[in-house]
Amino acid sequence: MRIQTAAELGAAIRNRRLDSGLTQAALADKAGVSRKWLVEVEAGKYSAEVGRVLDVLWAVGLRTDLAPEDQNSGN
């Protein structure tokens, strides 16, 4: 899955959370963040701290991979 915006990242986290059967409160507790902060991330708020976002991704079992953009693919 290619994530290009904060809104897409938030949706990916929300979808994984729901698939995992976690409430926002349970995921926030597991990731060590506040529920209010998690609500903002799921809504695509741009000011979320990267370290906390990575903690949430880990808590829902998602990983991040960085790869160079293939300039010949048109993406």
Side-chain angles (χ1 to χ4, degrees):
M1 169 188 304
R2 178 177 288 210
I3 302 291
Q4 295 182 306
T5 67
E8 290 172 349
L9 179 61
I13 291 170
R14 181 178 50 254
N15 290 338
R16 180 65 177 209
R17 175 181 61 77
L18 293 172
D19 289 347
S20 300
L22 293 169
T23 64
Q24 286 176 327
L27 175 55
D29 186 55
K30 185 174 182 178
V33 300
S34 72
R35 182 182 169 279
K36 180 180 186 262
W37 184 88
L38 181 60
V39 167
E40 291 175 352
V41 169
E42 288 188 358
K45 184 175 179 182
Y46 260 80
S47 64
E49 297 91 353
V50 173
R52 287 186 176 179
V53 171
L54 293 173
D55 289 342
V56 170
L57 291 172
W58 175 84
V60 293
L62 293 174
R63 70 172 200 199
T64 56
D65 291 321
L66 297 179
E69 186 81 30
D70 181 2
Q71 296 179 0
N72 297 323
S73 71
N75 292 327

